[in-house]
Amino acid sequence: MTANKRPQVVIVGAGFGGLWAARTIDTSRADITIIDHNNYHTFLPLLYQVSAAELEPEEIAYPIRAILRKVRHSDFILADVKGIDFSKRLVETDGVKIPYDYLILATGSTSFYFGVPGAEENAFSLKTLEEGTILRNHILCNFEQAVHEADSGRKERLLTFVVVGGGATGVEFAGALAELIYGPLERDYPTLDFGQVRVILLEAADNLLMHMPEKLRRYSLERLSGMGVDIRLGAVVGKIEKSAVHLKDGSIIETDTVVWTAGVRGDPLAERLGLPVSRNGRVKVMPTLQVPEHRNVYVVGDLAYFEEDGEQLPLVAPVAIQQGTVAANNIVRQIGGREPEPFEYKDRGTMVTIGRNAGVARLPGRSYTGLFAWILWLAVHLLNLIGFRNRILVMINWSQDYFLFERAVRFIFPSGAYSKIKALQCASKPETGERKEKKEFG
Ligand SMILES: Cc1cc2nc3c(=O)[nH]c(=O)nc-3n(C[C@H](O)[C@H](O)[C@H](O)COP(=O)(O)OP(=O)(O)OC[C@H]3O[C@@H](n4cnc5c(N)ncnc54)[C@H](O)[C@@H]3O)c2cc1C
């Protein structure tokens, strides 16, 4: 950093951690550049509602440049970060190379499959807006195909939906899917026998929502079962094939739809950079969120491995937000010649929604089930969603769902009817990344 140059702070990832860091940094002291391979921020806590045809993808996304308009001395670069040259202080992307004085890594997490054969290839993941939309299209396509399917075995596979993982995402998605199927879809497809349709939730442990108090777990289990979800506890997945899930106890579930919500790991970028990572690929940071070998580099959010009272912090938005804020303030302290301060997580509780009028909430010192927890969940998510328009649209969709038992977003879109991507939309799990691109574009 030269004497006449303002410090350059580069933030990789415009999720909760990165965005909150950008909003916090005192830009009278530094210039900031935020890099993301999407030009929008995704509000991941509502992603499962995109898959369950409840919300449009756009309603849970917001343009990064629009957010940065309010942040002086800030810039955005749309690029995929491929590497970092720590000695030259350069971020290497698929396009430009970006110099930095201080760096915040906030690239989040990806699904982790615990080495289960076939899981990555055949199961749907729920981590990005594309994945959420592809899953919605797939579910709706299954019903369209089932209507005309003469082969009873194939029909059964089309109408069996398996969710792996009884954590918050698995519970929320299974509940929303059951409400979609046994509500609007049952009315849409009068010729189908909905007694044949199954939503199965597999959990390896002996209960759902293991991070919640016992009372809330019991409530969730009873409520979800009451909604028609077939919950199988102690069910360990051994293998996933294109049209079947094999459990370790030898049983087989024939299905064309497996949704994997069972495991999460830090974004593989950290390992590629040679940073010290935990077993689940999260970067082991100092109490100040700095990387031990590079004191001008901070890691926040899902990508950071941070222990408190001997336990790693959960991969949730409040952790990312609080860490992004502390990392930003620590950089300003460093610029001013002061020591960075340690991070301390303020746990304000967790909430999970199960379905209509049903939620669970663990708040400091108290826990709630039922209508109150559900309303609390709705309010917190609506308030935290970025964008006034998004809030209004989400509220309209939720109201329509609540009062009219209707889901507004039952589109198979992009339809792919006559396009090259037909196979991606109406078949089993599409391939991703390079292989997909080659297939689509020749
Ligand atoms: C389906 C689902 C439901 C959830 N529900 C809840 C909930 O109810 N409550 C809760 O608190 N938390 C929930 N979470 C977890 C929460 O969303 C995460 O903990 C939070 O998003 C982590 O923030 P982050 O900033 O670390 O990463 P993210 O928000 O994931 O942001 C990472 C950003 O980095 C970008 N990026 C990644 N790699 C690169 C690269 N190589 N180059 C450029 N950009 C890159 C991505 O595009 C993204 O914008 C949920 C997560 C999911 C997936």
Side-chain angles (χ1 to χ4, degrees):
M1 189 172 37
T2 56
N4 59 356
K5 200 183 118 203
R6 284 161 54 82
Q8 302 298 306
V9 180
V10 173
I11 301 168
V12 184
F16 288 99
L19 264 193
W20 261 260
R23 287 167 146 189
T24 306
I25 282 187
D26 176 358
T27 49
S28 67
R29 312 287 297 275
D31 294 339
I32 58 171
T33 303
I34 194 154
I35 310 170
D36 201 294
H37 52 204
N38 296 316
N39 75 337
Y40 53 83
H41 163 82
T42 309
F43 189 80
L44 288 174
L46 291 181
L47 182 64
Y48 78 91
Q49 296 199 357
V50 171
S51 302
E54 202 164 352
L55 298 177
E56 294 276 14
E58 303 91 283
E59 289 164 14
I60 64 159
Y62 203 80
I64 296 166
R65 284 190 183 274
I67 299 167
L68 291 184
R69 272 186 214 157
K70 295 189 185 119
V71 182
R72 287 173 63 225
H73 305 296
S74 68
D75 195 8
F76 170 66
I77 293 177
L78 178 67
D80 190 37
V81 170
K82 299 287 187 196
I84 289 160
D85 186 333
F86 291 108
S87 59
K88 291 188 183 147
R89 298 189 171 188
L90 277 180
V91 177
E92 296 162 351
T93 73
D94 50 357
V96 288
K97 289 186 178 173
I98 302 133
Y100 68 85
D101 296 307
Y102 297 92
L103 180 66
I104 298 179
L105 290 174
T107 52
S109 54
T110 58
S111 292
F112 183 47
Y113 299 97
F114 304 103
V116 172
E120 188 168 0
E121 296 81 3
N122 299 313
F124 288 84
S125 159
L126 204 45
K127 291 293 288 177
T128 65
L129 215 49
E130 289 93 333
E131 289 175 343
T133 313
I134 285 168
L135 178 56
R136 177 195 71 190
N137 289 346
H138 172 86
I139 292 164
L140 297 175
C141 276
N142 279 15
F143 279 89
E144 292 300 335
Q145 291 178 351
V147 172
H148 306 291
E149 186 55 64
D151 178 334
S152 62
R154 166 113 176 94
K155 193 168 194 158
E156 188 186 327
R157 290 199 301 277
L158 284 167
L159 296 178
T160 300
F161 300 88
V162 176
V163 181
V164 184
T169 303
V171 165
E172 290 186 334
F173 178 63
L177 184 61
E179 283 189 341
L180 167 73
I181 289 173
Y182 303 117
L185 294 192
E186 192 159 358
R187 293 199 301 276
D188 279 355
Y189 301 93
T191 56
L192 271 181
D193 171 11
F194 274 73
Q196 277 190 303
V197 185
R198 294 187 298 165
V199 179
I200 302 171
L201 178 60
L202 303 177
E203 168 54 51
D206 59 4
N207 218 329
L208 302 177
L209 302 177
M210 293 306 281
H211 63 291
M212 288 288 200
E214 172 60 27
K215 180 182 132 193
L216 306 197
R217 292 185 205 165
R218 213 174 331 113
Y219 175 87
S220 309
L221 192 88
E222 283 166 12
R223 198 68 201 222
L224 214 49
S225 303
M227 289 163 64
V229 178
D230 173 359
I231 302 169
R232 304 193 188 171
L233 301 174
V236 184
V237 174
K239 183 166 74 170
I240 300 179
E241 290 173 336
K242 216 171 164 73
S243 292
V245 180
H246 296 248
L247 301 184
K248 284 257 167 86
D249 65 6
S251 54
I252 299 172
I253 305 167
E254 306 247 332
T255 175
D256 280 355
T257 314
V258 182
V259 183
W260 185 270
T261 70
V264 175
R265 50 155 295 140
D267 180 50
L269 178 69
E271 262 170 315
R272 288 207 305 273
L273 297 176
L275 294 173
V277 292
S278 63
R279 272 182 29 212
N280 59 352
R282 302 171 80 187
V283 180
K284 292 178 182 164
V285 289
M286 296 166 62
T288 51
L289 304 174
Q290 289 163 292
V291 175
E293 292 81 27
H294 310 286
R295 300 296 168 100
N296 59 337
V297 179
Y298 289 77
V299 182
V300 301
D302 284 3
L303 190 62
Y305 181 89
F306 193 97
E307 275 189 10
E308 231 171 51
D309 304 326
E311 291 209 11
Q312 64 170 308
L313 290 181
L315 291 87
V316 291
V319 171
I321 288 172
Q322 291 179 33
Q323 288 187 338
T325 308
V326 167
N329 287 333
N330 276 347
I331 287 175
V332 175
R333 291 179 74 83
Q334 276 188 298
I335 291 170
R338 289 180 296 158
E339 283 297 310
E341 288 187 328
F343 170 74
E344 208 177 305
Y345 178 50
K346 292 177 191 66
D347 183 1
R348 300 197 177 97
T350 44
M351 285 168 239
V352 177
T353 181
I354 296 153
R356 172 181 295 267
N357 297 341
V360 291
R362 176 191 59 76
L363 303 182
R366 288 211 67 166
S367 58
Y368 300 91
T369 57
L371 181 64
F372 178 72
W374 182 70
I375 291 173
L376 208 59
W377 183 95
L378 292 182
V380 166
H381 283 74
L382 206 56
L383 285 175
N384 283 301
L385 188 64
I386 298 181
F388 178 72
R389 178 179 173 274
N390 283 354
R391 286 190 203 130
I392 298 290
L393 291 174
V394 166
M395 222 156 57
I396 291 171
N397 275 328
W398 284 353
S399 307
Q400 188 185 20
D401 187 15
Y402 189 77
F403 294 111
L404 305 177
F405 293 81
E406 201 54 278
R407 295 272 166 100
V409 202
R410 299 194 303 279
F411 309 127
I412 299 167
F413 183 81
S415 73
Y418 300 101
S419 87
K420 291 177 189 171
I421 61 168
K422 180 170 186 190
L424 297 181
Q425 303 303 332
C426 268
S428 52
K429 188 196 171 193
E431 293 173 72
T432 50
E434 261 178 45
R435 276 186 301 159
K436 176 178 127 185
E437 275 165 31
K438 277 187 194 146
K439 203 176 195 175
E440 275 177 50
F441 303 112

